[in-house]
């Protein structure tokens, strides 16, 4: 990687020769301006408005425009006499916990490469000291004609530096939050937590610029004389009338996209209590009817048992009556026969 700045890290009385290397690169697709009628390039020419003629780069300097529109010329000679001790030095001024740095201050990122063998030992010393302390170094440095603020931290086996905005360059978010009183219910927070858990974490290496890929496909198709591919239009966003319903649908969609089962219905309720579907009503009614049904069944069984006992008793009574009647009949038959025999003997 090509270095863009050479200098040293000033760590107390220790000086560490380093080279500054860009830690990031842009993959965005850039376009040229063209004349739509013939495809000719549109170029900008630097013209002096007083002389109305194009001027060369050697004739161009810089100036500061005052409030009344007056231009005050500033030369490189003027700037060279300014007290800028960080012109070729990254001067460490403090060590602070990493969470003290507001991400809003983060700017461009660079790698600091050790400048030769003499820098190996102090470079490694600073890297290991940052690791053990679990802190980051705050430094000042100069780049492209101005002094800047930076943060040094360990990335792998190297030291990285993030350019930081000065504190007065970060705007306060005053007046941006809703100015109306809003009550967030615990159930809504629970559902938001469920959505966060469902989405889970992601490996940043799996993320890519889909827009750039689509633009590349369009360019390739037009270069080959083909019609550019059509991409499905994004669904139009409607007004969210029910926050809970929207969150429920979000959780369901997130789980389905991950191949998971849909979330259970019991975990979430809507803002306004929804009407139970007919199936749920019958289920609830069935549940409510079960105890009564069990009691009714018990009563029926008891009644049937009593009836059965009564039936048995009735049958036994009838049987006894039949036997008694038969016995009486037999006795009655025997009595006349005995009387007839007695009369015969008497005669």
């Amino acid at each position: 990687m090509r270095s863009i700045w050479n200098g040293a890290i000033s760590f107390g009385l220790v000086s560490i020769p380093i080279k500054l290397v860009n830690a990031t690169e842009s993959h965005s697709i850039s376009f040229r301006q063209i004349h739509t009628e013939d495809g000719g390039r549109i170029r900008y020419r630097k013209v002096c408005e007083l002389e109305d003629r194009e001027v060369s780069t050697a004739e161009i300097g810089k100036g500061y425009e005052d409030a009344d529109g007056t231009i005050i010329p500033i030369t490189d000679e003027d700037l060279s006499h300014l007290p800028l001790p960080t012109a070729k030095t990254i001067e460490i001024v403090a060590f602070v916990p990493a969470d003290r740095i507001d991400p809003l201050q983060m700017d461009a990122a660079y790698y600091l490469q050790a400048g030769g063998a003499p820098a190996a030992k102090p470079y490694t010393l600073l890297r290991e000291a940052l690791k053990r302390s679990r802190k980051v170094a705050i430094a000042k440095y100069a780049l492209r004609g101005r002094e800047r603020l930076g943060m040094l931290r360990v990335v792998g086996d190297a030291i990285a530096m993030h350019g930081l905005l000065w504190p007065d360059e970060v705007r306060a978010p005053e007046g941006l939050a809703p100015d109306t009183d809003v009550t967030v219910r615990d159930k809504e927070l629970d559902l938001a937590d469920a959505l966060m858990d469902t989405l889970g974490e992601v490996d940043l290496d799996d993320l890519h610029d889909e827009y750039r890929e689509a633009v590349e496909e369009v360019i390739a198709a037009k270069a080959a004389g083909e019609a550019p591919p059509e991409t499905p239009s994004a669904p139009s966003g409607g007004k969210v009338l029910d926050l809970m319903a929207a969150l429920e649908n979000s959780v369901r969609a997130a789980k389905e996209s991950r191949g998971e089962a849909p979330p259970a219905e019991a975990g979430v309720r809507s803002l306004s209590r929804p009407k139970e579907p007919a199936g749920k009503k019958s289920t609830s009614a069935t549940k409510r009817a079960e105890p009564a049904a069990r009691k009714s069944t018990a009563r029926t069984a008891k009644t049937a048992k009593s009836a059965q006992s009564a039936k048995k008793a009735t049958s036994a009574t009838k049987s006894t009556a039949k036997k008694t009647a038969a016995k009486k009949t037999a006795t009655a038959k025997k009595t006349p026969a005995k009387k007839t025999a007695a009369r015969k003997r008497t005669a």
Side-chain angles (χ1 to χ4, degrees), residues 191 194 198 247-268:
L191 191 51
T198 303
L247 288 171
E248 284 177 349
N249 293 335
S250 299
V251 172
R252 186 178 296 106
K255 286 199 171 188
E256 289 177 354
S257 68
R258 295 162 68 96
E260 299 179 12
E265 296 286 344
V268 179

Side-chain angles (χ1 to χ4, degrees), residues 15-18 113-127 159:
S15 181
I16 310 171
I18 57 97
Q113 179 184 6
K121 181 66 178 285
Y123 185 97
T124 305
L125 172 65
L126 176 59
R127 183 191 67 199
I159 298 175

Side-chain angles (χ1 to χ4, degrees), residues 219-299:
I219 294 174
K222 297 203 74 171
E226 302 172 356
E230 293 185 2
T231 56
S233 57
S236 58
K239 185 178 180 181
V240 178
L241 298 178
D242 190 337
L243 178 60
M244 293 292 285
L247 288 171
E248 284 177 349
N249 293 335
S250 299
V251 172
R252 186 178 296 106
K255 286 199 171 188
E256 289 177 354
S257 68
R258 295 162 68 96
E260 299 179 12
E265 296 286 344
V268 179
R269 291 186 182 275
S270 182
L271 286 174
S272 57
R273 188 185 179 103
K275 294 182 179 179
E276 278 190 301
K280 290 192 176 180
K281 279 188 177 178
S282 60
T283 303
S284 302
T286 303
K287 288 183 178 179
R288 290 194 298 270
E290 281 180 358
R294 284 198 293 268
K295 289 181 180 178
S296 176
T297 303
R299 285 197 300 269

Side-chain angles (χ1 to χ4, degrees), residues 60-301:
I60 298 175
K62 49 179 166 280
Y64 175 79
E65 184 174 2
D66 206 353
D68 59 0
T70 304
I71 300 295
I72 303 172
I74 302 293
T75 65
D76 292 337
E77 181 68 17
D78 296 330
L79 299 176
S80 65
H81 297 294
L82 293 177
L84 192 60
T86 55
K88 282 294 181 181
T89 304
I90 298 174
E91 182 184 356
I92 295 176
V93 296
F95 292 89
V96 301
D99 59 8
R100 285 272 303 277
I101 305 301
D102 189 338
L104 285 174
Q105 287 186 256
M106 294 287 191
D107 203 355
Y110 308 94
Y111 288 132
L112 304 181
Q113 179 184 6
K121 181 66 178 285
Y123 185 97
T124 305
L125 172 65
L126 176 59
R127 183 191 67 199
E128 295 304 314
L130 288 171
K131 278 185 181 179
R132 191 166 73 171
S133 67
R134 296 183 180 180
K135 292 183 177 181
V136 296
I138 302 301
K140 288 182 175 183
Y141 67 101
L143 185 65
R144 300 187 182 96
R146 58 178 288 236
E147 188 173 54
R148 303 167 188 263
L149 195 62
M151 178 191 76
L152 278 62
R153 69 183 183 97
V154 178
V155 176
D157 292 331
I159 298 175
M161 182 174 70
H162 295 269
L164 297 178
L165 299 174
W166 296 98
D168 60 357
E169 292 180 316
V170 179
R171 294 177 174 177
E174 295 178 358
L176 301 180
D179 57 358
T180 57
D181 292 335
V182 177
T183 301
V184 178
R185 301 181 182 181
D186 289 339
K187 291 182 179 179
E188 294 168 342
L189 285 174
D190 292 341
L191 191 51
D193 289 340
L195 178 57
M196 292 168 64
D197 292 339
T198 303
L199 293 176
E201 298 182 359
V202 66
D203 186 351
L204 295 180
D205 292 335
D206 294 337
L207 302 178
H208 56 280
D209 187 349
E210 297 180 6
Y211 178 79
R212 176 175 58 85
E213 293 175 356
V215 172
E216 289 174 346
E217 291 180 5
V218 170
I219 294 174
K222 297 203 74 171
E226 302 172 356
E230 293 185 2
T231 56
S233 57
S236 58
K239 185 178 180 181
V240 178
L241 298 178
D242 190 337
L243 178 60
M244 293 292 285
L247 288 171
E248 284 177 349
N249 293 335
S250 299
V251 172
R252 186 178 296 106
K255 286 199 171 188
E256 289 177 354
S257 68
R258 295 162 68 96
E260 299 179 12
E265 296 286 344
V268 179
R269 291 186 182 275
S270 182
L271 286 174
S272 57
R273 188 185 179 103
K275 294 182 179 179
E276 278 190 301
K280 290 192 176 180
K281 279 188 177 178
S282 60
T283 303
S284 302
T286 303
K287 288 183 178 179
R288 290 194 298 270
E290 281 180 358
R294 284 198 293 268
K295 289 181 180 178
S296 176
T297 303
R299 285 197 300 269
T300 304

